Amino acid sequence: MKKMILATALVFAGAIAAVEVLPNDAKLSSCERIGEVKAGDAFATLDRDTAIASVKAQAKEKEANKIFLDVTSVNHGKLGKQYIAKAVAWKCN
């Protein structure tokens, strides 16, 4: 069971590792805008790492290799600080 969980975690980490997070002022050339991806909303917030990993995984599913990431925090009454991640996904040559 532990080996299966570890293998799944390594595959997930490898899949999202190929997506590069760009600074918001970066200039892109020879790139195609794929679309927007989002993890979490006002009612279903996530911890920071999970929100970012989820957005990267969604971008990878859309065959994007670069994203502009925006992470916002929400103070939840019982859970503390939670996060919502949004990104614009791009496929560059």
Side-chain angles (χ1 to χ4, degrees), residues 47-67:
D47 64 274
R48 184 177 179 86
D49 294 335
T50 304
I52 293 170
S54 179
V55 165
K56 285 183 175 181
Q58 289 176 41
K60 186 66 178 173
E61 286 175 8
K62 292 185 174 196
E63 298 180 2
N65 56 4
K66 298 186 186 296
I67 60 172

Side-chain angles (χ1 to χ4, degrees), residues 14-85:
I16 62 174
V19 177
E20 180 183 357
V21 177
L22 300 172
N24 288 333
D25 60 349
K27 303 289 184 209
L28 297 177
S29 60
S30 69
C31 295
E32 175 187 357
R33 186 173 194 252
I34 302 294
E36 295 183 13
V37 291
K38 183 177 178 182
D41 58 29
F43 301 104
T45 53
L46 306 166
D47 64 274
R48 184 177 179 86
D49 294 335
T50 304
I52 293 170
S54 179
V55 165
K56 285 183 175 181
Q58 289 176 41
K60 186 66 178 173
E61 286 175 8
K62 292 185 174 196
E63 298 180 2
N65 56 4
K66 298 186 186 296
I67 60 172
F68 288 104
L69 181 64
D70 179 35
V71 180
T72 56
S73 65
V74 177
N75 286 323
H76 189 277
K78 294 183 180 179
L79 299 175
K81 191 173 273 194
Q82 296 287 294
Y83 296 88
I84 300 167

